[in-house]
Amino acid sequence: MHLHKYEKIWLIFGGGALVLFLLILGFGAFYLGTHPQSHGVTIDPENVEANEAFERENLGLTQVDDDRYIVNIVASTFSYDLGDDGEGNAVSHIEIPKGSTVLFQAVTTDVIHGLNIAGTNVNMMVEPGYISSLEVELNQTGEFTLVCNEYCGVGHHMMFATVEVVD
Ligand code: CUA
């Protein structure tokens, strides 16, 4: 078989581009691995309480300044732990004044979960071994549903809470 000179050049170029593409893809996916947007902050998923933010009494909503709040969340199959209300009842609803700046910090103790507050910019992946965090300003009043948007097992659809932004 006779290949024309330009055919050879383009075959080498095409093959080379494919190899280069696969190398870049492989480096990104396997060597760098996956991590949340707020990557870099690690935590032991089997002992999240070792980090002060995720001690049980610090879960849920905490006011840190006039219009600044922190919400610490521990996700696990199949619920979000937002602490308790002081009378032993698990919190599943939080209220935040409109215009507040809120830092959401979340970890998981088992598999990958999602943390999405539908209708807001809060949308994170929560991966074992990492603290996912995102700071937002909540300017729209209403009740928003905090849902898990990463399939995590049979109880995936039961993972939710509500966030109400009040005037
Ligand atoms: Cu947790 Cu889906």
Side-chain angles (χ1 to χ4, degrees):
M1 192 177 73
H2 176 74
L3 283 177
H4 201 272
K5 185 178 163 200
Y6 287 121
E7 276 184 303
K8 269 191 208 157
I9 290 171
W10 282 107
L11 270 174
I12 291 165
F13 177 76
L18 179 67
V19 169
L20 182 68
F21 170 74
L22 289 174
L23 283 174
I24 291 169
L25 193 74
F27 177 75
F30 298 108
Y31 182 71
L32 296 179
T34 63
H35 45 68
Q37 302 92 315
S38 51
H39 62 91
V41 191
T42 56
I43 191 167
D44 177 1
E46 276 159 22
N47 187 22
V48 295
E49 299 84 6
N51 185 306
E52 200 188 343
F54 301 102
E55 284 174 15
R56 191 108 213 297
E57 62 269 29
N58 293 330
L59 296 184
L61 184 69
T62 306
Q63 184 167 14
V64 289
D65 208 339
D66 274 355
D67 54 358
R68 297 188 87 87
Y69 293 81
I70 291 180
V71 178
N72 294 326
I73 304 167
V74 175
S76 61
T77 50
F78 297 101
S79 67
Y80 291 112
D81 194 344
L82 291 162
D84 65 48
D85 63 0
E87 284 159 19
N89 305 306
V91 172
S92 60
H93 176 87
I94 52 177
E95 284 185 15
I96 302 170
K98 182 186 172 183
S100 304
T101 300
V102 186
L103 173 66
F104 288 89
Q105 303 187 114
V107 292
T108 166
T109 57
D110 41 47
V111 299
I112 293 175
H113 295 281
L115 197 160
N116 173 222
I117 303 179
T120 74
N121 286 336
V122 181
N123 191 357
M124 302 191 280
M125 231 171 134
V126 187
E127 287 192 54
Y130 291 95
I131 299 175
S132 295
S133 62
L134 185 66
E135 192 174 68
V136 290
E137 206 175 295
L138 297 174
N139 289 318
Q140 203 189 333
T141 55
E143 190 173 277
F144 302 91
T145 309
L146 187 160
V147 289
C148 179
N149 58 357
E150 291 284 341
Y151 183 74
C152 53
V154 290
H156 166 67
H157 63 284
M158 299 189 301
M159 281 190 78
F160 67 93
T162 48
V163 175
E164 194 170 349
V165 180
V166 294
D167 248 327

